[in-house]
Amino acid sequence: MQLPKIAGPDKKVEYIELIYDLIFVFLLQQDNALLSLNEEGFFGPNEFETYLYSTLIVLEVWGSSILYINRYGETSFLDNCFLFTNMYLLYYMGIDTRLDWWSGYATYNTAWGLILINLAIQYLIRTHRMKGRHPDAIRLTRTRALVYLVEAGMVFLTIPIFHATGVSLVWLALLLGVAAPFITARIEHAVPISNEHLSERVMLFIVFTFGEMIVSISTYFEDVLSWQVLYFSLTSFAMVAGLFMSYGFLYNHVMDRHMKANGMIYLLLHIIIVIALSNVSVSLEHMRSLEIDEFQNAVFIGASLLAYYITLFLIARRTEWIQDKMTPFVVPAGILSAAFFCIICFATSNPWVVIGLCTAYVLCMHAAIVLRWQAVERKNAVPVEHTETKKPA
């Protein structure tokens, strides 16, 4: 039996995939709106829990769709029909994303369950087309279809349970969805991932996320020009630019987009990045509010920035040629990060100081990343394929 050659190294992101991703940008906007200020000057644990599970559900659907398109997507009429059906259903999930989520619980979860069934049907169709292929390739599509059907059943089951008891069990279905790639880990090799397509698709979604950050800081420019407006607009813009440049530099110069891996960890790490950037956006929106709890907001944005750079480091570590060359970067970056977070937590919570410290930290981390890579490049013969976006032979 031969292994199916479906997702090759030359697979590129299609425009329809970008249109599809725009609906997820809308959903993430709806999720971020859940983190609004309450009477105590900050969102509480219940609001954050609702935000977290809603965001993870959205990103699980996004990740599942990426993996299917990466392996099997053909931009055919049938594939496009499935894609647009999911987009239509995602609108219902977005509209019913609210703090009083119980009022739209049935609609939200019905839409989610139908999306999972949609994915399962795509895998079942693919199973039928896999005849004559390697047994593991067929087993992979069947297992994925079964997992999504079981997850959909769990989602639908939570609706009557919730209405009868008031207890939501969506976490169980979400955990099954997150575990799906690991359930099929032993047979993932049967249909290889196109890592070039995966890295490009994820990068473009990160760009969309940065676009949302640009929109979120637009309020800093709205007031009559003053030293306060100038200071906050300049520092917030420099922070967003620094975050973007750090990711862009690693993507262009460090990340190995032709690595032989199944892409699961790469995708999960980028989900953390998306959540971290969304949290930074929320914190920046609240930064100048007179009702904000300044200490909690300072800790929130500080922790989000740390999560972002730690995840960037973990992604860079997955590039084999640079793994043993990152150690000299870890110590100074770790000291800088620890000092930054301690100052944020224990020394000050003044918004003027916090946003200045955050911007300085982001720009210093970007400079450290660039300088470290340049040092590695000078001292070592960096392979050409890692410094140029050439296709492998």
Side-chain angles (χ1 to χ4, degrees):
M1 292 290 184
Q2 67 180 98
L3 291 174
K5 187 177 181 181
I6 296 175
D10 296 331
K11 187 179 179 69
K12 296 295 183 182
V13 175
E14 301 290 340
Y15 74 93
I16 195 169
E17 297 176 60
L18 303 183
I19 296 174
Y20 183 54
D21 281 350
L22 289 176
I23 188 66
F24 291 98
V25 174
F26 163 68
L27 264 74
L28 290 177
Q29 284 180 330
Q30 298 293 98
D31 291 333
N32 289 348
L34 296 174
L35 299 181
S36 56
L37 302 181
N38 56 25
E39 298 81 7
E40 298 178 359
F42 210 64
F43 53 84
N46 291 334
E47 291 87 349
F48 188 76
E49 180 184 358
T50 304
Y51 158 80
L52 189 59
Y53 91 72
S54 297
T55 302
L56 289 176
I57 288 172
V58 169
L59 293 177
E60 188 234 330
V61 173
W62 173 70
S64 299
S65 300
I66 286 180
L67 292 177
Y68 177 83
I69 293 172
N70 184 284
R71 281 193 167 104
Y72 310 107
E74 299 172 346
T75 63
S76 64
F77 175 77
L78 185 60
D79 280 353
N80 291 345
C81 286
F82 281 117
L83 207 64
F84 283 115
T85 299
N86 277 355
M87 288 182 66
Y88 179 80
L89 293 170
L90 284 165
Y91 270 108
Y92 283 101
M93 292 178 64
I95 295 302
D96 283 296
T97 299
R98 59 187 79 177
L99 286 177
D100 57 337
W101 51 274
W102 55 86
S103 61
Y105 188 89
T107 304
Y108 184 98
N109 286 284
T110 298
W112 180 22
L114 290 175
I115 289 172
L116 293 171
I117 291 176
N118 193 342
L119 284 167
I121 293 173
Q122 291 181 77
Y123 274 103
L124 290 174
I125 293 174
R126 186 58 57 179
T127 300
H128 178 71
R129 296 178 180 177
M130 285 292 211
K131 290 180 178 179
R133 297 291 185 176
H134 193 281
D136 282 348
I138 300 174
R139 192 176 300 115
L140 177 62
T141 55
R142 286 177 176 172
T143 305
R144 280 296 180 87
L146 178 61
V147 168
Y148 289 128
L149 287 174
V150 173
E151 185 181 0
M154 294 174 66
V155 171
F156 289 132
L157 188 60
T158 66
I159 298 174
I161 292 177
F162 175 78
H163 287 303
T165 66
V167 177
S168 173
L169 300 177
V170 293
W171 283 106
L172 295 177
L174 181 59
L175 286 174
L176 177 61
V178 173
F182 301 98
I183 294 173
T184 57
R186 292 186 177 181
I187 52 177
E188 291 284 337
H189 68 281
V191 186
I193 285 284
S194 170
N195 283 287
E196 186 174 354
H197 173 272
L198 178 65
S199 60
E200 183 182 4
R201 177 77 182 274
V202 171
M203 178 273 293
L204 291 170
F205 192 75
I206 295 295
V207 170
F208 287 154
T209 306
F210 276 111
E212 287 304 304
M213 295 186 73
I214 294 294
V215 173
S216 71
I217 65 173
S218 62
T219 56
Y220 286 79
F221 297 81
E222 292 177 351
D223 297 333
V224 177
L225 187 62
S226 63
W227 285 111
Q228 180 183 13
V229 171
L230 187 62
Y231 175 76
F232 276 93
S233 61
L234 183 61
T235 50
S236 61
F237 182 80
M239 186 193 309
V240 174
L243 291 168
F244 178 76
M245 289 190 298
S246 295
Y247 182 86
F249 185 86
L250 286 175
Y251 180 83
N252 288 322
H253 298 284
V254 178
M255 295 179 190
D256 183 2
R257 299 198 292 279
H258 308 300
M259 63 186 297
K260 302 298 181 182
N262 63 20
M264 299 298 123
I265 301 300
Y266 186 83
L267 190 57
L268 289 173
L269 289 174
H270 275 84
I271 286 176
I272 297 175
I273 285 182
V274 170
I275 293 175
L277 291 176
S278 296
N279 290 348
V280 172
S281 295
V282 170
S283 183
L284 287 174
E285 289 179 359
H286 295 329
M287 185 74 72
R288 293 189 304 163
S289 173
L290 297 177
E291 292 81 21
I292 188 73
D293 185 308
E294 296 176 350
F295 173 75
Q296 291 190 69
N297 193 52
V299 173
F300 187 65
I301 191 172
S304 300
L305 291 174
L306 286 183
Y308 175 78
Y309 279 107
I310 289 172
T311 308
L312 275 189
F313 168 75
L314 293 175
I315 292 173
R317 285 279 297 173
R318 290 178 56 77
T319 302
E320 292 182 4
W321 67 272
I322 204 173
Q323 286 180 358
D324 59 344
K325 301 174 180 65
M326 292 292 288
T327 303
F329 168 80
V330 174
V331 175
I335 293 174
L336 174 63
S337 299
F340 158 73
F341 195 65
C342 287
I343 294 173
I344 289 289
C345 290
F346 303 109
T348 181
S349 57
N350 185 300
W352 286 70
V353 180
V354 168
I355 198 169
L357 283 172
C358 290
T359 302
Y361 170 68
V362 167
L363 296 178
C364 286
M365 287 295 288
H366 175 67
I369 290 171
V370 174
L371 292 174
R372 179 57 196 159
W373 186 87
Q374 290 176 343
V376 170
E377 189 180 32
R378 286 193 301 268
K379 294 179 181 178
N380 303 274
V382 179
V384 174
E385 61 267 25
H386 296 307
T387 58
E388 299 179 4
T389 55
K390 286 188 176 182
K391 296 179 182 178

